[in-house]
């Protein structure tokens, strides 16, 4: 277990910084509001998904034109569902996914995997974001599951650990008032 977690941290740290900078370079004239780390219920894949206010507005507008966004609930979905995020298609952490896939019962380590993701995000210097015109404290970071009912619970737990309290609080209230 220790060897797996150590290798995961090394690979995640290298992959995250590289993919983050590649993504931030693409969006440096936009305002990043969310950075999600997606996986599946088996925890054998990992990817980075990023969205900006500008890409969200464009996407929501497009969905409205197609009749696919006609409520506040739809807009909240487009804001927080990482499958709708416009950036990150190149950031599938393939080397990390191979490590996860090769590890027996890797989902047993989900808490440790989240802890490592949180640690790396929190240790990433603000100037990495500033180089691309972003402010780390303005970004909501969270871990999510793409195929599991536990996604909201994982999101809610992880957002507290990587995001400033005022943004985390807003994130936690994302479904309030929606019936």
């Amino acid at each position: 277990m220790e060897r797996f977690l150590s290798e995961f941290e090394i690979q995640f740290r290298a992959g995250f910084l590289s993919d983050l900078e590649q993504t931030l370079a693409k969006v440096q004239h936009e305002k990043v509001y969310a950075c999600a780390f997606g996986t599946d219920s088996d925890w054998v894949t990992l990817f980075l998904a990023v969205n900006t206010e500008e890409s969200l507005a464009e996407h929501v507008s497009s969905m409205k034109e197609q009749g696919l966004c006609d409520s506040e609930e739809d807009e909240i979905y487009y804001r927080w569902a990482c499958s709708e995020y416009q950036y990150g298609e190149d950031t599938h952490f393939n080397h990390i996914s191979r490590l996860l896939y090769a590890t027996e019962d890797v989902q047993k380590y989900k808490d440790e995997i989240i802890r490592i993701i949180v640690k790396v995000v929190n240790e990433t210097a603000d100037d990495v974001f500033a180089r691309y015109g972003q402010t780390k404290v303005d970004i909501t970071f969270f871990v999510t599951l793409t195929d599991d009912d536990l996604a909201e619970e994982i999101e809610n737990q992880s957002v507290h650990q990587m995001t400033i309290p005022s943004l985390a609080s807003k994130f936690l209230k994302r479904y309030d008032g929606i019936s």
Side-chain angles (χ1 to χ4, degrees):
M1 175 171 124
E2 275 304 313
R3 189 162 32 134
F4 161 72
L5 292 174
S6 176
E7 185 62 27
F8 176 82
E9 183 170 346
I10 290 165
Q11 289 190 26
F12 180 74
R13 184 177 303 278
F16 171 63
L17 289 174
S18 171
D19 287 356
L20 176 68
E21 290 199 68
Q22 176 185 333
T23 302
L24 292 177
K26 288 181 185 176
V27 300
Q28 62 185 339
H29 300 293
E30 298 180 36
K31 170 101 174 76
V32 173
Y33 73 86
C35 179
F37 303 93
T39 188
D40 58 17
S41 58
D42 292 326
W43 292 78
V44 296
T45 62
L46 187 65
F47 63 91
L48 173 70
V50 172
N51 215 16
T52 67
E53 293 293 351
E54 294 81 357
S55 64
L56 173 66
E58 191 175 303
H59 189 55
V60 166
S61 177
S62 174
M63 293 297 104
K64 284 181 177 181
E65 288 173 13
Q66 297 175 51
L68 299 173
C69 181
D70 56 10
S71 69
E72 180 184 0
E73 185 176 38
D74 291 342
E75 289 191 34
I76 290 169
Y77 169 78
Y78 289 122
R79 174 169 283 279
W80 298 117
C82 72
S83 60
E84 299 294 329
Y85 287 6
Q86 303 302 303
Y87 302 100
E89 66 277 354
D90 301 329
T91 61
H92 287 280
F93 298 134
N94 290 331
H95 59 294
I96 297 170
S97 293
R98 280 195 296 275
L99 173 67
L100 294 172
Y101 187 77
T103 303
E104 190 173 317
D105 297 326
V106 73
Q107 69 270 23
K108 292 187 306 195
Y109 307 117
K110 69 179 177 57
D111 293 336
E112 290 87 357
I113 290 170
I114 292 170
R115 182 189 54 75
I116 290 167
I117 291 170
V118 167
K119 176 183 174 188
V120 170
V121 168
N122 288 341
E123 289 175 353
T124 301
D126 296 344
D127 67 333
V128 171
F129 296 87
R131 282 196 298 266
Y132 301 97
Q134 305 297 327
T135 307
K136 184 179 177 183
V137 297
D138 292 338
I139 301 172
T140 301
F141 295 90
F142 61 97
V143 176
T144 188
L145 301 173
T146 58
D147 65 346
D148 197 300
D149 292 340
L150 292 176
E152 188 174 343
E153 181 180 330
I154 297 287
E155 292 167 0
N156 290 351
Q157 289 173 1
S158 63
V159 74
H160 276 298
Q161 300 171 44
M162 299 184 267
T163 304
I164 64 166
S166 61
L167 287 181
S169 177
K170 288 178 185 175
F171 181 82
L172 294 174
K173 295 177 184 173
R174 66 197 181 281
Y175 302 123
D176 290 0
I178 304 294
S179 46

